[in-house]
Amino acid sequence: MKKLWIVSALLISGSIATITQASTIDCSEAYSTLEMNQCAEDKLDAADQQLQHYLKQSIQQNSTDQALVNAIQTAQTRWIQYQKAECSAVYTQWQQGTIRGVMALSCKLALTQQRTLTVWENYLRPMDSSDAVLPKPIVDTE
């Protein structure tokens, strides 16, 4: 029981240190693998939140057409499967190096941003000259 408590305390203190470190990283000057991974995760989290917002809005916008809502949800489920498979392949390509995490996260970021743009183009962009419900998402080209 004492060993379990010690291991738990070490895990908690390590998590707190990681959280503290993450909040102080200047991503424009990230140098270490851990810093680069954290910055890539932060960018991916923001992109994923944006995608979820655009998906939610596209479903609300088309809520009167249940067949379309179902199709959007099916497409999203299959897109998630594709993203996992594709970025897993990228991770495998770089598996011998410490860069593998950043490369897989970069893959996920690029695909997530592209998916957000696709959702906007297909379900949120008006075909006439009226304003879009949400602004056109920006795809990061770095």
Side-chain angles (χ1 to χ4, degrees):
M1 185 68 158
K2 187 176 182 179
K3 286 182 182 180
L4 180 61
W5 182 85
I6 292 171
V7 170
S8 296
L10 289 172
L11 288 173
I12 291 170
S13 65
S15 296
I16 291 170
T18 300
I19 290 168
T20 303
Q21 179 186 8
S23 64
T24 61
I25 295 173
D26 178 1
C27 290
S28 66
E29 307 230 354
Y31 179 74
S32 73
T33 301
L34 289 175
E35 290 173 334
M36 288 186 279
N37 283 341
Q38 184 61 55
C39 291
E41 285 179 24
D42 292 347
K43 277 182 127 176
L44 177 58
D45 287 344
D48 190 53
Q49 287 176 12
Q50 183 182 40
L51 173 57
Q52 295 310 314
H53 180 66
Y54 277 63
L55 280 167
K56 181 179 177 182
Q57 188 63 46
S58 69
I59 288 169
Q60 284 178 345
Q61 188 78 6
N62 297 291
S63 62
T64 59
D65 186 346
Q66 192 57 48
L68 177 55
V69 168
N70 291 343
I72 293 169
Q73 292 170 333
T74 298
Q76 183 61 17
T77 298
R78 291 186 180 155
W79 176 83
I80 289 169
Q81 293 168 342
Y82 165 74
Q83 182 199 43
K84 286 180 183 178
E86 179 64 22
C87 297
S88 178
V90 169
Y91 184 90
T92 300
Q93 178 182 11
W94 296 97
Q95 69 186 342
Q96 300 303 318
T98 58
I99 197 170
R100 66 187 176 268
V102 169
M103 296 305 289
L105 289 166
S106 295
C107 172
K108 289 179 181 180
L109 175 63
L111 292 177
T112 300
Q113 290 176 334
Q114 185 59 51
R115 175 68 179 149
T116 304
L117 181 60
T118 299
V119 167
W120 180 82
E121 288 175 339
N122 291 338
Y123 313 114
L124 296 172
R125 181 181 60 156
M127 298 309 282
D128 58 16
S129 60
S130 63
D131 291 332
V133 176
L134 292 174
K136 181 177 180 179
I138 297 171
V139 176
D140 194 6
T141 57
E142 288 182 18

